[in-house]
Amino acid sequence: MSVVVDGLEGLRVPEELSARVPAEQRGPGRGRDDVRLLVSRGEAVSHHAFRELPALLRAGDVLVVNTSPTLAAAVDGRLGPEPGGEPVVVHFSTRGDDGRWAVELRSPEPSGSTRPRAGGPAGAVVRLPGGGRLALAGPLTPGSGRLWWARAYGDVPGLLGRYGRPIRYGYTERDQPLSAYQTVFARPSPDGGGSAEMPSAGRPFTAGLVAELAARGVWIAPLSLHTGVASAEAHEPPYPERFEVPAATAALVNAARATGGRVIAVGTTVVRALESAVAGPVGAGPVGAGASARAGRGWTDLVVTPARGVRVVDGLLTGLHEPEASHLLMLEAVAGRAALRSAYAAAVRDRYLWHEFGDVHLLLPEEKGHRTRCGSNSG
């Protein structure tokens, strides 16, 4: 899927704006919430410390969060017959209903990160630590060789728990413990499932900040969507992912919308899950007048675009995405093209940090008469 957001085609994100370590490792006394918060209301932007989030919301708003835990989804392996074989790193992405796993094979780098490699070949066997095996079947999507279906022989959750590590890309400085990739909202799944990559919009939250939000009358509503392996280089649209929207969360979302509260998704994963569990007419206005959230679970292949729009989500808290990322279509659906142009120009100009350990972006509905503060007040 090509992403064309007018005004972003020539945007270049300098390499030095990649967040290479978590915020709490950037200096003494720093915490997870020591990141910057760029706020968009239409084309107007303002600059804040993330700790200011409670003051930017209001009583009756609902923050919907993803409780999926992050898995230690990267495991070293050898492709081919014994002895020897090609060294590979297996990224376990998504477990299918038939027990197979969607996996990505990557080539290890001396730095400890990985680089892309072609998938397959079909029928090949990957040898894993502890005697495990993966038999490659075929591409997840015809014509795309990045993710492949594979039959795993052995206990994959146990394998990941013993030998796995978090997926790491080349822009990070070093390996991090799994705890660095868990959000304050993460809850273990009964079946051992979880996300191949962290639902990173929730990372800057701390227990203290959540308590302050609650004290101000902001509701926190949980759902889960287990994220697969992102296309860090190819910027492909997301693949089908497993999700669950509880009945209590759907009820809270509908109650907020009925009483003037705003529904703010913490992450693109939350938008995908919520918008996959909607009842009501399509195309019923910019925030889906007449639409309502409902409980739902299963698989979603929904790709939110400006043409499709959003129906129950009013705002979005998310990281900063590469100019070619397919997620930008979702951001445009939530906030509009002009808002994205303005926000991303400001993010580069004011040197915000990108990627999962970076700064965050809050897209709120434009309010008439709202007085914006455009000076920098970052933490």
Side-chain angles (χ1 to χ4, degrees), residues 9-41:
E9 301 93 332
L11 182 70
R12 188 183 71 85
V13 180
E15 187 176 341
E16 64 267 21
L17 296 187
S18 294
R20 302 194 182 283
V21 295
E24 60 271 25
Q25 297 178 18
R26 294 180 201 146
R30 298 192 62 135
R32 284 186 172 221
D33 52 359
D34 280 307
V35 297
R36 301 170 70 189
L37 176 63
L38 178 68
V39 178
S40 294
R41 294 181 179 89

Side-chain angles (χ1 to χ4, degrees), residues 85-112:
E86 176 193 353
V88 294
V89 177
V90 181
H91 288 176
F92 284 84
S93 180
T94 306
R95 180 167 53 189
D97 289 335
D98 60 0
R100 295 186 302 171
W101 281 81
V103 301
E104 179 186 27
L105 301 188
R106 294 176 68 93
S107 297
E109 292 274 30
S111 65

Side-chain angles (χ1 to χ4, degrees), residues 122-209:
V125 173
V126 180
R127 289 175 280 123
L128 300 171
R133 295 285 191 276
L134 272 182
L136 300 177
L140 183 67
T141 302
S144 174
R146 188 176 67 87
L147 287 175
W148 279 58
W149 283 117
R151 178 70 63 181
Y153 297 92
D155 171 28
V156 172
L159 173 82
L160 301 184
R162 175 173 289 188
Y163 300 107
R165 60 186 180 276
I167 289 175
R168 174 192 163 198
Y169 292 113
Y171 51 77
T172 56
E173 185 175 290
R174 57 183 176 268
D175 285 343
Q176 297 288 341
L178 184 59
S179 60
Y181 292 86
Q182 300 294 7
T183 74
V184 71
F185 305 115
R187 295 293 179 269
S189 295
D191 63 355
S195 290
E197 296 182 0
M198 171 176 56
S200 56
R203 189 183 193 278
F205 286 85
T206 63
L209 193 137

Side-chain angles (χ1 to χ4, degrees), residues 148-286:
W148 279 58
W149 283 117
R151 178 70 63 181
Y153 297 92
D155 171 28
V156 172
L159 173 82
L160 301 184
R162 175 173 289 188
Y163 300 107
R165 60 186 180 276
I167 289 175
R168 174 192 163 198
Y169 292 113
Y171 51 77
T172 56
E173 185 175 290
R174 57 183 176 268
D175 285 343
Q176 297 288 341
L178 184 59
S179 60
Y181 292 86
Q182 300 294 7
T183 74
V184 71
F185 305 115
R187 295 293 179 269
S189 295
D191 63 355
S195 290
E197 296 182 0
M198 171 176 56
S200 56
R203 189 183 193 278
F205 286 85
T206 63
L209 193 137
V210 171
E212 185 179 350
L213 287 164
R216 287 176 175 264
V218 176
W219 295 90
I220 307 290
L223 56 73
S224 67
L225 184 140
H226 296 327
T227 67
V229 174
S231 54
E233 297 85 14
H235 300 299
E236 301 160 340
Y239 291 89
E241 293 167 319
R242 192 187 301 275
F243 79 100
E244 181 174 2
V245 177
T249 291
L252 192 55
V253 165
N254 293 334
R257 298 187 68 230
T259 56
R262 297 171 298 183
V263 177
I264 299 168
V266 179
T268 57
T269 60
V270 170
V271 177
R272 196 179 197 208
L274 266 184
E275 294 288 326
S276 297
V278 171
V282 176

Side-chain angles (χ1 to χ4, degrees), residues 55 84 177 221 225 243-244 289 293 305 344 352 361 375:
L225 184 140
F243 79 100
E244 181 174 2
T305 66
Y344 273 67
Y352 278 71
H361 182 196

